[in-house]
Amino acid sequence: MPNLAAPLFRVPLMIHYLLIDCPDEPGLVFRTSEVLFRHGLNILRNGEFVEPHDHHFFMRTEFDGPCDPAVLLRDLRAALPAAAAIRLRDDRPRPIVVLATREHHCLSELLVRHFFGQLHAQILAVISNHDNLRPITERLDVPYHHISAEGLSREAHEAAVLAQIQQYQPEFVVLARYMRILSPEFVAHFSGHLLNIHHSFLPAFIGASPYAQAYERGVKSIGATAHFVTDQLDQGPIIAQSVIPTDHTQSARDMAQAGRDGEKLTLARALTLVCREQVCVHRNKTIVFE
């Protein structure tokens, strides 16, 4: 018989994410698990990968239970190689600021998911060099800042945008179809914390009308790429991609709409992966723990 005196609810999980990367050697998984066991923590999910070319070890562990982060990190560092990079985070939504221009599809997707608590991120503000996305942003209770680039040099405009971002102190900045090329100086402020989305035709079909070019070439698939931003334009480590099949019956307009759908979903997925600590950057590529 069931114990009728037992509580009818479960204590909410206190979930933490642990990421480790270091040169591979025997016993890394055991040593990590042993430290977590000694702290009375329960492993919910674990993934490991060894990069075969340089024998580099990566591990993501999701665990439950109360812990003192400083003490746990101390014990992990004592158990693991001195070269190990260790990242420990709880599962609270990550604070972000979104930069946008005129196109609404990527921003709208993030705003709606944020409104319904499905983003694993807290959108602190939206900043744009145009004012047309203010209604959707403010309707969903997110502050909107219009910082026009008219009459300003790139340096002056970026300085104004940077000052506004810094007021919020976000963990990540997301470019939701922000159609301005950022300077290396701006990017340097957010190294490893700046995400971008674009169509997957690059480096082919460069320019303002990639879908028209793709239509003329009769491409059979289109897609989207979300990546970290680096000094090299659209060359940063890739976080997520999508591919959508096309055929001769689709117009350039049809392809563009399918591309926008792919972009918004791919950006949302990439942001979720990053905020849930499922991404490790190794050189110029990523290890993604699904």
Side-chain angles (χ1 to χ4, degrees), residues 132-201:
N132 63 304
L133 298 177
R134 181 185 297 274
I136 180 65
T137 303
E138 293 185 341
R139 187 173 299 176
L140 294 175
D141 299 323
V142 174
Y144 188 89
H145 302 279
H146 172 215
I147 303 177
S148 175
E150 290 294 323
L152 296 178
S153 66
R154 182 170 76 163
E155 292 76 15
H157 183 252
E158 286 188 350
V161 172
L162 180 61
Q164 189 65 71
I165 293 172
Q166 289 175 332
Q167 288 189 21
Y168 288 99
Q169 294 295 303
E171 185 167 348
F172 294 100
V173 175
V174 180
L175 308 182
R177 295 296 291 165
Y178 186 63
M179 305 303 290
R180 293 181 63 83
I181 297 175
L182 298 171
S183 69
E185 293 75 20
F186 185 95
V187 171
H189 286 280
F190 307 103
S191 179
H193 295 265
L194 184 60
L195 282 67
N196 189 30
I197 183 73
H198 58 70
H199 60 78
S200 288
F201 294 140

Side-chain angles (χ1 to χ4, degrees), residues 9-106:
F9 61 89
R10 293 186 63 191
V11 175
L13 296 179
M14 302 177 65
I15 296 176
H16 304 266
Y17 307 122
L18 172 65
L19 281 91
I20 296 168
D21 76 85
C22 61
D24 189 32
E25 63 178 62
L28 293 173
V29 175
F30 170 78
R31 281 178 267 168
T32 302
S33 302
E34 195 273 336
V35 171
L36 296 176
F37 176 77
R38 283 195 282 110
H39 281 258
L41 301 168
N42 181 43
I43 294 176
L44 303 173
R45 187 176 290 109
N46 199 69
E48 313 99 37
F49 174 72
V50 177
E51 212 288 329
H53 296 293
D54 57 7
H55 304 288
H56 203 85
F57 171 83
F58 299 87
M59 185 167 77
R60 177 187 184 271
T61 305
E62 189 172 319
F63 64 88
D64 168 43
C67 70
D68 183 327
V71 175
L72 181 57
L73 283 171
R74 180 200 65 196
D75 290 351
L76 286 167
R77 290 191 181 103
L80 295 171
I86 305 172
R87 202 159 81 217
L88 176 64
R89 298 296 303 270
D90 59 34
D91 70 339
R92 283 177 291 186
R94 306 293 183 246
I96 69 171
V97 166
V98 182
L99 304 188
T101 301
R102 292 183 183 273
E103 297 184 69
H104 73 83
H105 57 289
C106 287

Side-chain angles (χ1 to χ4, degrees), residues 202-228:
L202 298 175
F205 308 147
I206 296 171
S209 302
Y211 291 99
Q213 297 176 59
Y215 172 76
E216 292 298 328
R217 285 292 305 275
V219 301
K220 303 308 179 192
S221 64
I222 59 177
T225 295
H227 63 91
F228 290 110

Side-chain angles (χ1 to χ4, degrees), residues 226-255:
H227 63 91
F228 290 110
V229 178
T230 63
D231 289 350
Q232 294 182 308
L233 183 63
D234 295 326
Q235 299 292 312
I238 294 171
I239 305 166
Q241 291 182 297
S242 64
V243 177
I244 303 168
T246 62
D247 62 37
H248 61 277
T249 66
Q250 292 174 285
S251 67
R253 187 173 183 176
D254 294 334
M255 288 184 181

